[in-house]
Amino acid sequence: IAGITQAPTSQILAAGRRMTLRCTQDMRHNAMYWYRQDLGLGLRLIHYSNTAGTTGKGEVPDGYSVSRANTDDFPLTLASAVPSQTSVYFCASSEEGETGELFFGEGSRLTVL
Amino acid sequence: GQNIDQPTEMTATEGAIVQINCTYQTSGFNGLFWYQQHAGEAPTFLSYNVLDGLEEKGRFSSFLSRSKGYSYLLLKELQMKDSASYLCAVMDSNYQLIWGAGTKLIIKP
């Protein structure tokens, strides 16, 4: 089934550890995004990529990095996790980039202790 | 600053009609989206409005007034499966999506 796959679905992590959230899509979409969702707040964009080989910073990029080596994969790395990064992380993609409908992965629930 | 306002929670009865409002103040406007998100799941696309007026799609309709910075999502013939959060998002002049916190809709039998 075509779509976006995220891994892991859930993770508990000690503060200070490095963590990579994986995201793979098989829809050949050019644009990909990482969001975090926290209770009482709207989705907040962390990083995005309009096409393979390019990335950009969103609203809340600090403490996170991304890479886009190919069209399908867009991993998000926390270099040194802190408790404030406890959240649900969603990867998304869109065909048209700036104006297209977003397709979301099922989310990765991360708890940093 | 940029802001999207929508009610935190609403309750409605199965079979009834409910209207979820969204007001926005953004730097420019390039369209408004509505997404549905069931608890513990990913958001899924419902509608996109860029021109004023009503867009109807089955039991769901979405309305936009750009001059008033206002949109609503209308859900008819409510079903229990419509219990979910409904997210309003506006694309600003830089084509960045600004998201509201979502409206949790509770459907009672």
Side-chain angles (χ1 to χ4, degrees):
Chain A
I1 299 176
I4 296 182
T5 303
Q6 290 185 232
T9 56
S10 181
Q11 182 76 45
I12 299 174
L13 187 66
R17 297 297 296 267
R18 181 183 179 89
M19 178 73 194
T20 295
L21 304 180
R22 300 183 299 278
C23 175
T24 300
Q25 55 111 349
D26 61 2
M27 298 176 284
R28 308 302 293 174
H29 286 171
N30 282 321
M32 296 188 75
Y33 313 83
W34 273 106
Y35 285 93
R36 60 177 290 173
Q37 187 174 41
D38 302 289
L39 195 64
L41 299 177
L43 287 163
R44 291 183 291 169
L45 182 65
I46 304 170
H47 284 286
Y48 65 93
S49 169
N50 286 329
T51 189
T54 69
T55 63
K57 294 181 179 181
E59 179 186 356
V60 288
D62 294 344
Y64 305 95
S65 64
V66 292
S67 62
R68 187 87 183 278
N70 56 61
T71 298
D72 298 342
D73 300 301
F74 191 44
L76 176 74
T77 297
L78 290 67
S80 178
V82 295
S84 61
Q85 292 178 310
T86 294
S87 186
V88 179
Y89 292 85
F90 286 101
C91 180
S93 71
S94 66
E95 183 175 347
E96 299 174 21
E98 294 172 341
T99 60
E101 166 190 349
L102 290 177
F103 294 83
F104 286 85
E106 290 303 309
S108 296
R109 181 175 295 275
L110 183 66
T111 302
V112 182
L113 301 177
Chain B
Q2 307 203 88
N3 195 52
I4 309 288
D5 285 320
Q6 46 181 136
T8 302
E9 186 175 296
M10 300 181 70
T11 302
T13 304
E14 189 177 16
I17 299 173
V18 70
Q19 178 175 311
I20 301 173
N21 296 326
C22 172
T23 59
Y24 62 89
Q25 293 176 304
T26 57
S27 303
F29 180 84
N30 280 299
L32 185 145
F33 294 80
W34 284 97
Y35 282 78
Q36 180 190 59
Q37 185 177 25
H38 285 101
E41 297 183 7
T44 55
F45 171 82
L46 287 177
S47 67
Y48 171 65
N49 294 68
V50 66
L51 299 176
D52 289 351
L54 187 69
E55 296 274 347
E56 297 187 76
K57 192 185 295 185
R59 294 188 298 113
F60 292 11
S61 302
S62 56
F63 172 83
L64 174 67
S65 169
R66 288 172 297 171
S67 63
K68 295 182 179 179
Y70 168 69
S71 172
Y72 67 73
L73 182 68
L74 190 72
L75 290 73
K76 303 177 184 178
E77 302 169 13
L78 286 170
Q79 302 175 9
M80 297 303 293
K81 67 179 182 179
D82 297 330
S83 292
S85 289
Y86 292 85
L87 314 181
C88 174
V90 173
M91 188 162 284
D92 69 12
S93 58
N94 293 319
Y95 294 93
Q96 295 294 318
L97 271 177
I98 311 301
W99 294 82
T103 298
K104 182 178 180 180
L105 179 62
I106 299 168
I107 310 296
K108 295 186 175 179

